């Protein structure tokens, strides 16, 4: 039930999702550069999966670095936006609509050198069991010695500091105040 609500909201958010991407990561090149510290771990022509691709900035940025990229997301609208961004940048990215637990239905074990699940995405998995199941899927798809790149945000810390995120796009300001999440 929670899942249905979540996906509906990401489908709605897809058209305006850039509001939630920080200024420093708005372009594909900048988004990929924000992972500079781990990109050197990938072999040349690495096979890479971004399994919560959102609007595709990271996937397109990685393709721009010569990686073979597959981008997946549970939200069909996000996957569509990633395909559009890929076309706009003349990148060659395979896009698939799949939630984390469906990934093994689409890709064989040990397919990827690197799997990305970034931008506070895993937090959407349902409870500890959902997070473990999602991580188990990602882990199956990684080659031996491959790397999972996972980023998350500690909203409690952000709240405790009394801060909210402010974004300005086309001269308009938007403030995001995080809600408390229990892991
Ligand atoms: C906060 S956004 C992050 C998007 C992108 N990684 C970024 O950093 O901009 C979270 C993403 O996770 C996706 N998502 C949520 N639940 C998911 C699930 N069960 N399986 C796969 N993706 C999911 C959403 O559709 C959304 O695109």
């Amino acid at each position: 039930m929670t899942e249905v609500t979540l996906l509906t909201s990401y489908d709605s958010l897809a058209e305006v999702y850039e509001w939630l991407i920080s200024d420093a990561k708005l372009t594909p090149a900048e988004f990929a550069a924000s992972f500079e510290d781990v990109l050197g771990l990938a072999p040349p022509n690495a096979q890479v999966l971004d399994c919560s691709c959102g609007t595709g900035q990271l996937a397109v940025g990685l393709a721009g670095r010569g990686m073979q990229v597959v981008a997946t997301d549970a939200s069909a609208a996000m996957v569509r936006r990633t395909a559009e961004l890929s076309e706009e940048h003349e990148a060659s990215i395979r896009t698939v609509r799949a939630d984390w637990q469906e990934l093994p239905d689409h890709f064989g074990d040990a397919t990827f050198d690197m799997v990305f699940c970034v931008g506070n995405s895993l937090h959407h998995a349902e409870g500890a069991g959902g997070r473990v199941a999602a991580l188990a899927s990602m882990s199956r798809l990684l080659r031996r010695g491959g790397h999972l790149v996972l980023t998350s945000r500690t909203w409690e810390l952000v709240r405790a500091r009394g801060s909210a995120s402010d974004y300005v796009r086309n001269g308009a300001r938007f403030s995001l105040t995080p809600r408390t999440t229990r892991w």
Side-chain angles (χ1 to χ4, degrees):
M1 189 61 85
T2 310
E3 182 99 338
V4 171
T5 309
L6 165 75
L7 295 185
T8 303
S9 60
Y10 269 110
D11 279 343
S12 320
L13 257 185
E15 290 311 315
V16 293
Y17 185 74
E18 283 84 351
W19 281 96
L20 300 177
I21 299 178
S22 67
D23 292 346
K25 298 201 283 190
L26 266 181
T27 68
E30 288 168 330
F31 211 121
S34 72
F35 289 96
E36 205 67 68
D37 52 342
V38 293
L39 292 182
L41 298 172
N45 301 314
Q47 304 285 329
V48 174
L49 170 68
D50 181 359
C51 68
S52 47
C53 61
T55 42
Q57 281 76 9
L58 176 60
V60 173
L62 295 176
R65 288 173 174 244
M67 296 177 168
Q68 310 303 309
V69 183
V70 178
T72 63
D73 199 286
S75 157
M78 289 298 205
V79 171
R80 178 181 47 74
R81 290 228 42 212
T82 295
E84 287 168 358
L85 189 70
S86 173
E87 202 177 315
E88 197 181 303
H89 286 260
E90 298 182 355
S92 176
I93 291 177
R94 179 179 168 201
T95 53
V96 178
R97 199 224 59 81
D99 70 35
W100 298 308
Q101 297 197 45
E102 293 169 328
L103 290 173
D105 301 337
H106 295 275
F107 310 104
D109 289 0
T111 297
F112 297 101
D113 299 295
M114 215 167 231
V115 173
F116 287 82
C117 180
V118 304
N120 218 34
S121 300
L122 187 63
H123 134 97
H124 292 303
E126 190 68 29
R131 291 191 293 277
V132 169
L135 289 168
S137 280
M138 296 173 209
S139 158
R140 275 181 65 167
L141 303 187
L142 272 176
R143 291 206 172 112
R144 195 178 178 81
H147 297 275
L148 169 65
V149 182
L150 180 74
T151 65
S152 194
R153 207 173 280 134
T154 309
W155 286 119
E156 284 75 7
L157 265 183
V158 178
R159 276 177 81 94
R161 290 187 189 124
S163 56
S165 303
D166 282 329
Y167 302 89
V168 178
R169 299 283 180 270
N170 300 324
R173 180 175 295 280
F174 170 81
S175 289
L176 175 69
T177 306
R179 65 182 167 79
T180 302
T181 305
R182 304 224 174 277
W183 277 45

